Amino acid sequence: APPPPPFSPCAAEFAREGGELVDPVLSGVKALLIDLDGTMYSPSGPIPGADEFYGYLLRQRLPYVFLSNTGAKGAHGVQAKLAKNGFLLQAAPVPTDNIYTAAQAQCAYMADHIPHHARVFVIAGGVEGEDAWWMELLTAAAERVATWELRTRLTEGEAKEWAAIAGAAIAAAPGEGRPKVFVVLFTDGSISSSVDPKTNERGYADWSFDVIKKATWLLTHGAEFVCTAEDAFNPTKEGLPLPGPGMFSAMFRKVTWPLGRHRHRVLGKGGGAAEGGKYMVGHAIEMLRLQGFDGEPHEILIVGDRFDTDIRAGVGAGLRTCLVESGCHSKDLQTFYPTDHADFVASSVADLLPPEWRGGALDRPLARPWVHRNASMDDFSASPPSLATIASSRDSSCADDAAPSGNLLGRAGAVRGEKSLREWTLSRGDLVHAASMRLGAHEPLIGPLRAFFEAKEHAATGTIAAEDVTVALKELGLSRGLPDEAGIPLRGGRGDPAPPRVSFRDFVAEVTRVFSLEATEWSLPQAAASPPGGAAGRRRKSCEQARILYGLRDDDAPKAAQPLSAPGPCRVRSGRARSSSDVLGL
């Protein structure tokens, strides 16, 4: 019998079939549909192991399609993006026959469903001047497109005229009239100045009130809304999400509810069976068949990082589904999407590789080197977990590379130190990225504090200026208890004009003190009901500070029932008991 797989910290969090961990690639899968953003790459570059995963697909000659929900690019645009980023370092670029986007699916839908002589108001994004959607439309149905009145900018008079035309079709045949006016969204969130085919003027360059107002006029009088995808946001390197097409789609859906609810078409992954199901996933399956796939839908594995797009698309088409936690969603959010059930959950696509392909494939060992069969919905609790519960179970791997060690001199080092504190706070307060919601303790603050201190410290004294403590508190988003309000004056005492210097011990103590002030402010109602005084209150505050500074879990913290005079040891992640001074590293 083969040896059992090594213990994985997350193994207990998943329901297992027959007590065994599984590898979906080796479990009867004959073809794959693979998401890109958050699955194969992130804003920072390729996800570790993605190149090896792609190489495995090629060497095993598995039919595959990269299925992207982008509304700003077609297959050629995605191919160019992959090549430009040096991604998928194989002998040749990814063939366009293996790439399909929501923009292409939307163009195919429009060619089939928008009648001749219709009026089409396009709100588009992407690289200014490229207008990829226009070329895709001409490719899909040049003759029909030539009959449309297609505009990217409308005057108020034109918008009112189009609204009347849309309303007349509804009035003539209530519930049956075929729309004559369409509002079409080709974007990943932002919009650019697409040239108006009629006036040759630049279209709208941003989401102004004017463009929203005119689109609203059309939609509330019977125009049909057609969009590429409903991804709520787009990730960035800084961890601050950008608005995605789903935000604007939801806005327009809201204004047409309930009478216009059947006039909202989504053509990307996650769209309805007659829209995204047919034109996105259905077409992708036909692409797999052209590559030699001759199996059934359940022999196709769709891999992606979102329940509401990738997993929903797979469930609707009867495919196997695998959620990867390298992008937006994590397994913890399954209960929020009860009908979009993931069959498997993996840390990244690298985990889909067979064991013999994993050795040496990555520069660092994977935190979760095995794929797990996801629990059925019956195994989840009846109510979704609270945001507080999710936020408290985050993984240290969500942060960027560990803070640099050693004495960092110069402005560049100081900027890196400040950035590490800001990124720690942004990551801890992030409610949308799986990277900030993974299982396990959150990255302790002590590392970023040390990096900041070393970036600022004076080599001769091993201290930092009091003003630097102020900078650190601001980068952490702490608005109260700045050093001039605490025991660290910003100027020296009488007869000592030089500003004081602060040791690392005092620096940590000051940050801990201000966190305590913030925590007291956040929990004023609870504090009024049960004042945190006495030994138990002090211990609760001490344990909370330990969790923030050192990433200790609830079961690592000493119990409040223990006498304050004999505190229990705090345990770090390795489980080794250490004294308070040892944990502080002072």
Side-chain angles (χ1 to χ4, degrees):
F7 173 75
S8 172
C10 67
E13 300 296 328
F14 296 84
R16 302 184 224 175
E17 188 167 282
E20 296 179 353
L21 302 177
V22 295
D23 189 328
V25 170
L26 299 181
S27 302
V29 170
K30 296 181 179 180
L32 293 98
L33 300 179
I34 308 158
D35 176 50
L36 284 172
D37 198 350
T39 300
M40 297 297 285
Y41 58 74
S42 70
S44 301
I47 287 172
D51 267 338
E52 290 75 16
F53 177 68
Y54 180 61
Y56 174 80
L57 298 181
L58 296 183
R59 287 167 177 79
Q60 298 299 314
R61 298 186 178 181
L62 282 168
Y64 71 94
V65 172
F66 286 126
L67 207 55
S68 171
N69 253 9
T70 178
K73 292 184 288 292
H76 290 282
V78 171
Q79 182 191 55
K81 179 177 180 178
L82 296 176
K84 181 179 179 181
N85 291 342
F87 182 54
L88 303 176
L89 305 177
Q90 309 298 325
V94 180
T96 54
D97 289 341
N98 297 84
I99 303 172
Y100 196 62
T101 73
Q104 292 173 278
Q106 180 165 312
C107 288
Y109 174 87
M110 293 170 66
D112 286 349
H113 291 271
I114 296 184
H116 288 76
H117 309 293
R119 288 167 170 79
V120 183
F121 179 40
V122 173
I123 304 171
V127 178
E128 186 172 332
E130 288 189 359
D131 293 340
W133 60 271
W134 179 243
M135 298 308 299
E136 293 292 344
L137 270 178
L138 292 178
T139 301
E143 182 179 351
R144 175 172 295 208
V145 171
T147 71
W148 297 345
E149 185 175 349
L150 196 153
R151 304 292 302 278
T152 62
R153 177 180 286 274
L154 295 173
T155 66
E156 284 211 4
E158 290 170 331
K160 291 177 180 178
E161 178 187 351
W162 283 32
I165 293 171
I170 303 300
E176 299 178 3
R178 189 175 186 185
K180 295 182 179 180
V181 179
F182 295 79
V183 176
V184 179
L185 193 61
F186 277 109
T187 179
D188 289 335
S190 62
I191 60 177
S192 56
S193 303
S194 293
V195 175
D196 189 295
K198 181 177 180 178
T199 65
N200 287 323
E201 295 178 354
R202 288 287 181 183
Y204 296 98
D206 203 355
W207 281 105
S208 64
F209 182 80
D210 188 50
V211 65
I212 296 172
K213 175 186 70 177
K214 290 169 182 174
T216 300
W217 287 352
L218 304 185
L219 293 171
T220 54
H221 288 81
E224 185 168 291
F225 183 75
V226 183
C227 68
T228 43
E230 292 198 297
D231 299 65
F233 68 92
N234 298 309
T236 64
K237 291 182 180 179
E238 296 78 14
L240 295 169
L242 297 176
M247 293 178 60
F248 302 102
S249 173
M251 173 178 65
F252 290 128
R253 188 190 296 272
K254 185 73 172 179
V255 79
T256 58
W257 180 266
L259 298 182
R261 64 190 184 280
H262 300 307
R263 298 179 180 273
H264 199 103
R265 315 296 181 188
V266 180
L267 276 301
K269 291 174 291 184
E275 293 91 36
K278 175 181 177 181
Y279 287 88
M280 185 72 168
V281 180
H283 182 84
I285 293 175
E286 291 304 313
M287 294 173 68
L288 293 175
R289 297 199 183 280
L290 291 176
Q291 299 175 41
F293 171 69
D294 59 358
E296 298 298 322
H298 69 268
E299 296 175 297
I300 301 172
L301 178 71
I302 185 168
V303 184
D305 67 314
R306 294 187 64 104
F307 284 110
D308 55 349
T309 57
D310 307 301
I311 304 304
R312 183 172 298 171
V315 170
L319 314 181
R320 295 193 191 190
T321 57
C322 180
L323 179 80
V324 288
E325 297 184 304
S326 51
C328 176
H329 287 166
S330 69
K331 177 258 181 186
D332 305 288
L333 302 182
Q334 176 68 85
T335 49
F336 290 96
Y337 303 94
T339 62
D340 308 317
H341 181 255
D343 298 318
F344 304 97
V345 178
S347 178
S348 71
V349 291
D351 285 355
L352 303 185
L353 292 170
E356 61 269 22
W357 283 73
R358 293 172 185 154
L362 304 175
D363 294 332
R364 58 181 177 80
L366 290 166
R368 298 185 192 179
W370 296 91
V371 177
H372 301 267
R373 191 177 299 278
N374 198 12
S376 66
M377 286 308 301
D378 293 338
D379 296 325
F380 286 97
S381 60
S383 58
S386 66
L387 291 177
T389 301
I390 296 173
S392 67
S393 64
R394 293 167 176 166
D395 192 322
S396 61
S397 62
C398 71
D400 287 343
D401 294 338
S405 59
N407 188 26
L408 301 176
L409 302 177
R411 177 62 185 160
V415 170
R416 285 195 295 271
E418 294 170 16
K419 185 179 179 182
S420 66
L421 293 180
R422 187 184 311 121
E423 289 176 346
W424 182 90
T425 300
L426 291 174
S427 177
R428 189 177 180 88
D430 195 336
L431 299 178
V432 295
H433 288 89
S436 295
M437 297 181 181
R438 288 184 179 175
L439 302 173
H442 190 271
E443 180 194 19
L445 178 57
I446 196 70
L449 287 180
R450 172 64 74 178
F452 177 88
F453 187 89
E454 291 175 345
K456 298 282 190 178
E457 73 175 319
H458 188 275
T461 64
T463 59
I464 62 175
E467 289 87 344
D468 292 331
V469 181
T470 303
V471 172
L473 293 174
K474 288 182 177 179
E475 291 300 319
L476 287 168
L478 299 174
S479 58
R480 298 190 52 178
L482 295 178
D484 55 340
E485 303 173 17
I488 305 177
L490 291 178
R491 293 181 174 82
R494 185 175 300 173
D496 180 16
R501 310 291 299 182
V502 181
S503 68
F504 183 65
R505 183 190 296 272
D506 291 338
F507 176 46
V508 173
E510 179 63 10
V511 171
T512 303
R513 184 191 71 82
V514 179
F515 259 116
S516 299
L517 291 175
E518 292 286 335
T520 301
E521 183 179 85
W522 293 334
S523 57
L524 282 178
Q526 294 89 333
S530 55
R538 290 194 298 271
R539 179 159 299 284
R540 282 195 298 271
K541 181 181 292 186
S542 173
C543 291
E544 178 59 29
Q545 293 166 0
R547 278 190 288 272
I548 292 173
L549 283 173
Y550 311 116
L552 300 183
R553 301 182 299 270
D554 290 339
D555 57 354
D556 286 333
K559 301 295 185 282
Q562 295 176 335
L564 187 63
S565 58
C570 290
R571 293 193 296 277
V572 294
R573 293 180 189 175
S574 65
R576 181 171 66 87
R578 309 175 76 180
S579 65
S580 298
S581 60
D582 189 15
V583 173
L584 280 169
L586 302 176

